[in-house]
Amino acid sequence: MAILFKTTPAAMARWQPHLAVAFADQDLRLWPEIGDKSEIDYALVWHPEPGLLPGLPNLKLIVSLGAGVDHILRDPRLPGGIPILRLVDPYMTRAMSEYVVLNVLRLHRRDVAYRLQQAAGEWREHAQKNAEERTVGILGFGALGQDAARRLATLGFNVAGWSRSGRAVPGFATYGGATGLDALLSRSEILVSLLPMTAETEDILNAPLFARLPRGAALINAGRGRHLVEADLLAALDTGQLSAAVLDVFRDEPLPPEHPFWRHPRIIVTPHVAAETHPQTALPIIAAAIADFESGRPVANLVDRARGY
Ligand code: NDP
Ligand code: OXD
């Protein structure tokens, strides 16, 4: 059994010591030194270049080194029959919840406005609600969205979730479909997007969606950059329909130095770090999934190729 491992050159140093432990007895091939392609059974990948996976004739399972799988499915030649495992790691889930809680509190407490006032030496109070009076809407109510919701609820926020199925989640108002989206948006003063990138979700954060939020609402996007129509966000901030945005993901990463988001006074930029994969915790999960797969046991968190996530 041979295992291919491919991540970005920058991330490789973080993974290498842990790979040696997790796959000590295995034939591990670190890209680009992959040897005989026909020997590779498993591919653990982050942003594989198009053609790499289709070129492995005996591949049995593809493992995403992140929660999203858009970086794998973007390859038009990817063979349809090979299962794809997406990463669900409680460590990563907690990291995302930290990011969401940090930024919901920041927006709830008008921190963006107060930072601007401090820079201008301006002493001015804004009306402040309690968390109980604030609804946070979460687009994408899966592994990450639900954990963030539970943590926000412990702080008192009203949290509502929108998913494809609209499935019930105890303790939360949940919505699905187009009418459900309207209902969620109309009450969401802070909107958090934790959607996967699919054909259905591309460009979903656009002017018509912003117009359905309460005036002055704020946006947090930690899903994918291609969810957001960037010009529509800038226009909504200009008119005051949106008061602020916190963005972790972008159409072009790294965000180009000349991009207007960098210097916009009401946009907070982070460099795709909301929930980084943590090799120490991710590798045991991946190794256990491979062992289950090898011995024919059911494997959780396989991607539904028709849905795209
Ligand atoms: P899950 O698959 O657990 O959850 C996805 C959720 O999105 C589900 O609730 C699903 O609905 C919903 N959904 C999918 N398509 C649609 C649609 N068309 N309309 C409405 N809802 C939809 O994924 P995770 O929570 O683990 O991860 C979500 C995403 O977060 C990842 O795909 C990735 O893009 C992003 N991410 C970003 C990170 C960062 O550092 N910025 C780190 C990790 C992930 P249903 O429940 O009905 O299936
Ligand atoms: C992921 C990510 O999908 O880090 O895991 O974006």
Side-chain angles (χ1 to χ4, degrees):
M1 173 174 111
I3 302 173
L4 163 67
F5 184 87
K6 155 84 169 78
T7 185
T8 59
M12 197 59 203
R14 273 194 308 125
W15 284 92
Q16 220 154 348
H18 306 288
L19 282 168
V21 175
F23 298 114
D25 305 325
Q26 314 286 353
D27 177 3
L28 187 64
R29 315 273 175 92
L30 300 184
W31 188 89
E33 308 299 327
I34 67 175
D36 181 348
K37 293 178 179 175
S38 69
E39 291 169 357
I40 292 174
D41 303 288
Y42 296 92
L44 281 45
V45 290
W46 182 248
H47 283 272
E49 67 275 17
L52 175 65
L53 298 173
L56 305 175
N58 296 314
L59 193 57
K60 294 199 277 197
L61 177 71
I62 300 168
V63 179
S64 171
L65 295 175
V69 291
D70 46 314
H71 63 104
I72 295 170
L73 295 175
R74 71 186 172 140
D75 188 339
R77 290 173 40 222
L78 194 70
I82 303 175
I84 302 174
L85 177 73
R86 61 183 214 89
L87 192 57
V88 179
D89 176 348
Y91 184 98
M92 186 194 254
T93 303
R94 276 196 298 278
M96 180 59 84
S97 292
E98 285 176 9
Y99 185 88
V100 172
V101 169
L102 166 71
N103 288 298
V104 165
L105 284 173
R106 194 203 289 269
L107 296 166
H108 166 62
R109 294 304 304 235
R110 314 290 297 259
D111 195 48
V112 174
Y114 287 128
R115 290 310 103 226
L116 289 170
Q117 286 179 213
Q118 181 173 351
E122 182 187 355
W123 183 278
R124 182 159 62 93
E125 292 173 31
H126 297 280
Q128 180 61 53
K129 292 180 174 186
N130 272 345
E132 286 78 6
E133 299 166 297
R134 185 87 76 192
T135 296
V136 179
I138 302 186
L139 304 181
F141 217 44
L144 301 179
Q146 288 182 35
D147 190 74
R150 284 189 281 272
R151 291 171 197 270
L152 290 169
T154 64
L155 292 169
F157 290 99
N158 288 305
V159 188
W162 184 66
S163 65
R164 191 166 169 275
S165 58
R167 77 173 60 115
V169 176
F172 298 100
T174 52
Y175 301 91
T179 38
L181 181 58
D182 280 342
L184 177 120
L185 293 174
S186 65
R187 50 190 296 223
S188 298
E189 289 174 280
I190 299 174
L191 186 71
V192 180
S193 181
L194 290 172
L195 285 163
M197 180 61 218
T198 69
E200 285 179 23
T201 62
E202 179 157 20
D203 293 339
I204 190 170
L205 302 173
N206 59 19
L209 180 142
F210 299 147
R212 287 179 279 161
L213 292 166
R215 187 163 176 81
L219 171 71
I220 298 172
N221 184 21
R224 282 291 181 263
R226 280 166 60 207
H227 292 142
L228 176 66
V229 179
E230 296 185 342
D232 289 5
L233 172 65
L234 292 170
L237 290 166
D238 281 350
T239 62
Q241 175 56 20
L242 291 187
S243 56
V246 178
L247 307 175
D248 185 56
V249 285
F250 303 91
R251 283 183 180 264
D252 293 322
E253 294 183 6
L255 188 65
E258 68 284 1
H259 198 288
F261 287 173
W262 279 119
R263 278 162 284 279
H264 195 291
R266 295 191 171 272
I267 294 179
I268 292 170
V269 167
T270 52
H272 200 145
V273 290
E276 287 180 302
T277 304
H278 188 59
Q280 294 92 314
T281 51
L283 283 170
I285 292 169
I286 294 170
I290 290 178
D292 285 343
F293 190 88
E294 273 288 302
S295 51
R297 291 189 291 272
V299 177
N301 302 315
L302 291 180
V303 169
D304 178 333
R305 296 283 284 268
R307 292 186 322 191
Y309 68 97

